[in-house]
Amino acid sequence: GTLAAPATLILPANKYENAEAFGGVQAEFVVNDAAGHLTLSNLDAHTVNTTLWSLDAKVQVPDVTRLDGMEASVGIDAPSGKSLLEALNLKPIDTGPFGVSISTKGKDKDLKLDASLKSGQSGIGATLESTVEDGAPIIRGLISSKQLWIEDILRGISGAKQLASLGSDGDRDHASGGATPSEGKPTEPLVLKKPEEPLVLSNPDQVNDGPGDLSDLFDLEKLAARTDLAVEIDIKKIEGQKGISSVQSDLAVAEGKMNFGPLKFIYGGGYFNVSAGMDILESPDLLNVSGATSGWSIGEILKTAGVDLDARGELRADFNLTGNRRTPTTFLNSMYGSVFASLDNGAIATSLIELAGLG
């Protein structure tokens, strides 16, 4: 069969000034039960009558009732991220060409996932393959890029933030004026009172031999205890105004311990080397971060942080810190360990010393 509809039907509800620019979405599909069960042998959806963006989606499901053996892929591209954001009534960030794609293929206990993102002249991809042996997930992956431009990264992040805000309450309020035409006041949601339910205490002696609760998938301790994960990170070239660098690192989880790094990064004369680790079973709330950095201009660091202070020289530091990982603020407030920092060939205005209470 064939389905066709305006593209705005799959977008968040809003008032688009130029809705026809999004074109339409057309899908062809084939469904049959010749094998004794319902099969989606082909679903092909794509955009038509638009140059603003393109959508290409394909799905195959051998058995709709089980989803085993499903293959799916989705790709979205925009020749100009700025034009697309502007058409969506969002802040027009000049990202250049922008695109994202994801595909998945699974059968029995095996699953493969591929994803890619491009912005401007930069592109990055990820591949994950997983299986299950003796009830334990085994995951292997690679995150790689041949070239990343720092400006593309910053603009891409800004553009992604704009897209993430699409369809938010603030976005809808902005489009509708935040009020209904008839009453002149914001619409309030209908809230139904939930009936009271009796308190049921679980039996502590009861043993659950089932497959586990869905929440286990998001339980870091339980996941780490039975997962063997190894992901390689390989960014061959990072370019910016101050030179060229590269990034290589690894992320591994095994026997309840997670290790990341060492992450090595050299750019504009600055050097950064950091490793992170957690013992998820013994101390799941604690994160250890250690490493060294040098060659960074203290003046530029303060300027970037918005601190108007006269300072010059190159900062170098060695650190080994442990803190609560729950939030960045919690980590900063709870961290302990050692930090050695020095400033080579430089000076800092007296006001900084006074600010620290040392003057």
Side-chain angles (χ1 to χ4, degrees), residues 98-243:
F98 183 84
V100 60
S101 68
I102 184 169
S103 64
T104 181
K105 181 179 180 180
K107 184 173 180 58
D108 297 328
K109 297 179 180 180
D110 298 331
L111 177 67
K112 182 178 181 181
L113 176 69
D114 292 289
S116 66
L117 175 67
K118 68 177 182 181
S119 177
Q121 303 178 63
S122 303
I124 189 168
T127 298
L128 289 175
E129 296 185 6
S130 70
T131 188
V132 177
E133 292 185 5
D134 298 327
I138 299 176
I139 304 171
R140 297 292 180 264
L142 171 65
I143 300 173
S144 63
S145 174
K146 293 182 178 179
Q147 175 177 276
L148 289 178
W149 286 80
I150 292 180
E151 285 298 319
D152 288 340
I153 297 173
L154 297 177
R155 291 173 181 173
I157 292 174
S158 297
K161 287 182 178 180
Q162 288 297 308
L163 288 175
S165 69
L166 187 64
S168 64
D169 293 338
D171 183 61
R172 288 193 295 270
D173 290 345
H174 176 74
S176 62
T180 58
S182 58
E183 300 181 11
K185 62 180 182 179
T187 303
E188 297 182 359
L190 175 63
V191 179
L192 300 178
K193 184 177 180 180
K194 182 179 178 181
E196 294 184 1
E197 298 179 356
L199 176 64
V200 179
L201 299 178
S202 60
N203 184 352
D205 297 327
Q206 184 177 359
V207 178
N208 183 10
D209 294 326
D213 191 87
L214 182 62
S215 62
D216 290 352
L217 295 175
F218 306 98
D219 189 312
L220 188 60
E221 290 86 346
K222 291 182 179 180
L223 187 64
R226 55 190 178 89
T227 298
D228 179 359
L229 178 147
V231 178
E232 179 185 355
I233 301 171
D234 184 13
I235 312 298
K236 297 189 179 301
K237 184 186 291 185
I238 298 178
E239 297 194 36
Q241 294 180 350
K242 294 186 178 181

Side-chain angles (χ1 to χ4, degrees), residues 41-61:
S41 58
N42 183 61
L43 170 64
D44 188 346
H46 54 273
T47 48
V48 294
N49 303 321
T50 179
T51 59
L52 185 64
W53 71 303
S54 66
L55 167 70
D56 184 17
K58 293 180 173 61
V59 179
Q60 293 185 19
V61 186

Side-chain angles (χ1 to χ4, degrees), residues 340-352:
F340 173 80
S342 64
L343 189 64
D344 296 336
N345 302 320
I348 302 177
T350 307
S351 55
L352 182 61

